């Protein structure tokens, strides 16, 4: 790739325009990390620590357990886990066999999981025991009790016959009859070092995304894609020191952003990963008193809540020097609030699952421009084109669709050749579906989204998916689901519904009904009964008009 792009001069000094493209796999990267890490702490979970050496031992044992139940190269193996030490082990054990990781949100409903499993065809899963009952019939399930990774004293305390502790225990653990307990799976032998592993071009992960059409699709990410993105992140975060950083794993590792931040970049840099299964601001700040973070990457609402609460509690976050925000717009107010309590710049970046995911970012340097998503990462190119004719670039400063090209760009969707062709141009450029403007220096600003996805809490919600579920309700004749901006730069999911009887609908009943079929973040926050929905001459619901009408109402 050319190094003469205008944005390169705005990089932090010492950040090069190109990375060395990896020639081996994530497994080789992992092996180098654990060899160098040794007895250093790899991850921390509620105060319990796991060393790099222990991580390597568990990966080898789990890999052999998977081999013994028939997992072989190219097989898909599902992970249905929150952030935990077991998630890291499961990820690399699967890859060690040359098999393919398929990540899932453990809070998905049985209905949602069934659709994805039918698509990718995995017959083996490693799942949180509280999620096992939601899985479709499989050949083999390894059930993870999160309490096993707790410090001994915390685990013993949760066993006490106290109502509040019983409730906590019930949230964290459930019996999983028929599944193999995690502890049992790890009791066997280690995988032989001579067992063949993956190559750099092999498929590593299938990561589900709503993409640009609304229906879930599995983005196929190779070892090259993911390893390259980790190296790009390391180049961008050039002052982060191998083996010295403390990274707070606040974002879910089943999401593309969290996967790269912790499972690939985090291991590449031999960071101490402080793992949080869910975001709880006081839990985070309690941890900060013992293991102060140096890398704190999150979404705007998390930065806002953390900064406010840290100021209230008088807890210093001055160690947090590397802070990247993504998934939704970052406001000046949040930047100023965070930088008043932290020790470095808060910069905004941009990515999507199909680019592993990070593609653009603001420099960790005074050249950063708040309000933009920054400039292309090293070894990444971009174009801005006419959405109706992606072969035609638009003039600088004119809104157009963002196209991306680089080693982190995926090769297509699993079992979806038509949708792959719609997203990837023949010469390898990725259509993002985002309308942007770019200034003369390459700093990019998102103007609108062609794809109409709703971004709430850092997660993508496809309106068509929610609408399809709501239309099954007998009292709903028609529905349009849209995102309405909230105070912290994201959106809340709102449904405009047409009553089948003409009477006002019971919103509490609709919400309870939706919760049985959709993950909590997809359930509309509001249901607004309307007499009819605006539609085009062809009968298509005009979501933009719906969104504008509901926004005015708010």
């Amino acid at each position: 790739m050319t190094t003469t792009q205008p944005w390169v001069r705005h990089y932090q000094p010492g950040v090069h325009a190109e990375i060395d493209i990896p020639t081996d796999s994530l497994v080789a990267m992992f092996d180098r990390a654990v060899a160098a890490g040794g007895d250093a702490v790899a991850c921390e979970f509620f105060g319990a620590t796991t060393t790099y050496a222990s991580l390597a031992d568990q990966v080898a044992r789990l890999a052999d357990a998977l081999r013994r139940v028939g997992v072989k190269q190219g097989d898909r193996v599902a992970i249905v886990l929150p952030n935990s030490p077991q998630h890291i082990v499961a990820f690399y054990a699967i890859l060690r066999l040359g098999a393919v990781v398929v990540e899932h949100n453990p809070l998905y409903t049985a209905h949602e999981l069934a659709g994805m499993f039918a698509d990718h065809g995995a017959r083996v899963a490693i799942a949180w025991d509280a999620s096992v009952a939601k899985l479709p019939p499989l050949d083999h399930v390894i059930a993870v009790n999160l309490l096993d990774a707790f410090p001994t004293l915390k685990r013993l305390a949760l066993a006490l016959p106290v109502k509040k502790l019983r409730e906590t225990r019930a949230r964290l653990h459930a019996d999983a009859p028929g599944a193999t307990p995690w502890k049992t799976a790890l009791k066997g032998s280690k995988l032989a070092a001579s067992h063949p592993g993956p190559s750099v071009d092999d498929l590593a992960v299938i990561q589900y995304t709503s993409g640009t059409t609304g229906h879930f699709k599995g983005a196929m990410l190779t070892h090259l894609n993911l390893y390259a993105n980790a190296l790009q992140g390391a180049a961008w975060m050039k002052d982060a020191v191998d083996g010295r950083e403390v990274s707070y794993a606040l974002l879910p590792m089943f999401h593309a952003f969290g996967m790269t931040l912790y499972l690939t970049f985090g291991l590449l840099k031999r960071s101490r990963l402080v793992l949080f299964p869910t975001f709880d601001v006081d839990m985070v700040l309690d941890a900060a008193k013992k293991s102060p973070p140096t890398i704190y990457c999150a979404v705007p609402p998390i930065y806002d809540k953390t900064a406010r609460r840290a100021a209230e509690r008088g807890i210093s976050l001055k160690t947090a020097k590397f802070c990247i925000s993504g998934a939704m717009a970052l406001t000046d107010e949040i930047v100023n609030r965070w930088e008043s309590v932290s020790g470095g710049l808060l910069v905004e970046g941009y990515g999507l699952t199909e680019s592993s995911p990070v593609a653009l970012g603001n420099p960790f340097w005074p050249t950063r421009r708040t309000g933009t998503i920054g400039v292309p990462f090293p070894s990444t190119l971009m174009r801005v084109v006419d959405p109706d004719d992606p072969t035609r670039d638009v003039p600088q400063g004119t809104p157009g669709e963002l196209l991306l090209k680089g080693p982190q760009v995926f090769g297509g969707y699993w079992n979806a050749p038509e949708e792959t062709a719609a997203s990837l141009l023949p010469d390898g450029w990725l259509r993002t579906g985002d309308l942007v403007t770019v200034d003369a220096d390459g700093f990019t600003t998102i103007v609108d989204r062609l794809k109409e996805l709703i971004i709430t809490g850092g997660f993508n919600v496809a309106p068509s998916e929610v609408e399809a579920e709501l239309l099954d309700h007998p009292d709903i004749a028609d529905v349009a689901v849209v995102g309405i901006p909230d105070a912290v730069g994201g959106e809340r999911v709102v449904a405009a519904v047409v009553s089948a009887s003409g009477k006002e609908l019971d919103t509490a009943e609709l919400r309870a009904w939706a919760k049985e079929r959709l993950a909590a973040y997809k359930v509309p926050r509001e249901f607004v009964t309307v007499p009819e929905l605006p539609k085009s001459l062809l009968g298509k619901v005009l979501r933009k008009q719906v969104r504008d009408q509901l926004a005015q109402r708010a």
Side-chain angles (χ1 to χ4, degrees), residues 18-36:
E18 308 287 340
I19 62 164
D20 292 329
I21 304 301
T23 57
D24 53 14
S25 71
L26 288 173
V27 172
M29 183 202 80
F30 174 81
D31 289 343
R32 286 190 287 271
V34 297

Side-chain angles (χ1 to χ4, degrees), residues 435-519:
L435 286 177
V436 302
T437 57
V438 179
D439 66 21
D441 295 321
F443 283 85
T444 303
T445 303
I446 294 180
V447 175
D448 204 349
R449 289 196 303 277
L450 295 173
K451 51 196 174 188
E452 295 185 327
L453 288 178
I454 301 165
I455 301 179
T456 180
F459 292 100
N460 288 350
V461 176
S464 58
E465 179 189 3
V466 181
E467 290 164 356
E469 296 297 336
L470 294 178
L471 282 171
D472 284 339
H473 193 288
D475 295 337
I476 294 178
D478 205 356
V479 60
V481 172
V482 297
I484 302 299
D486 61 25
V488 292
E491 297 171 303
R492 64 184 189 278
V493 182
V494 179
V497 293
V498 177
S499 171
S501 65
K503 297 179 181 179
E504 191 78 15
L505 296 173
D506 183 341
T507 57
E509 191 277 329
L510 290 179
R511 188 172 293 108
W513 191 87
K515 281 183 178 178
E516 294 179 0
R517 292 158 176 80
L518 296 164

Side-chain angles (χ1 to χ4, degrees), residues 19 228-238 265 268 324 364 377-378:
I19 62 164
N229 204 225
L231 291 170
Q232 289 168 318
W236 205 246
M237 215 176 291
K238 63 171 283 292
F265 171 78
L268 173 70
I324 300 176
F364 284 104
F377 260 27

Side-chain angles (χ1 to χ4, degrees), residues 57-142:
D57 179 77
Q58 293 179 59
V59 165
R61 293 180 187 280
L62 182 61
D64 201 58
L66 292 171
R67 180 194 61 80
R68 283 185 269 112
V69 299
V71 175
K72 58 187 183 300
Q73 189 164 13
D75 286 351
R76 278 81 61 208
V77 179
I79 296 179
V80 192
L81 291 171
N83 290 5
S84 59
Q86 295 97 326
H87 197 143
I88 302 171
V89 173
F91 186 86
Y92 281 99
I94 294 167
L95 295 182
R96 177 66 183 84
L97 292 172
V100 180
V101 170
V102 191
E103 290 279 5
H104 300 81
N105 184 340
L107 299 181
Y108 275 162
T109 64
H111 177 73
E112 291 167 311
L113 289 170
M116 292 179 182
F117 272 80
D119 183 59
H120 59 66
R123 303 302 307 160
V124 175
I126 302 168
W128 180 25
D129 54 19
S131 297
V132 168
K134 297 185 293 186
L135 299 178
L138 299 171
D139 294 342
H140 198 85
V141 176
I142 296 174

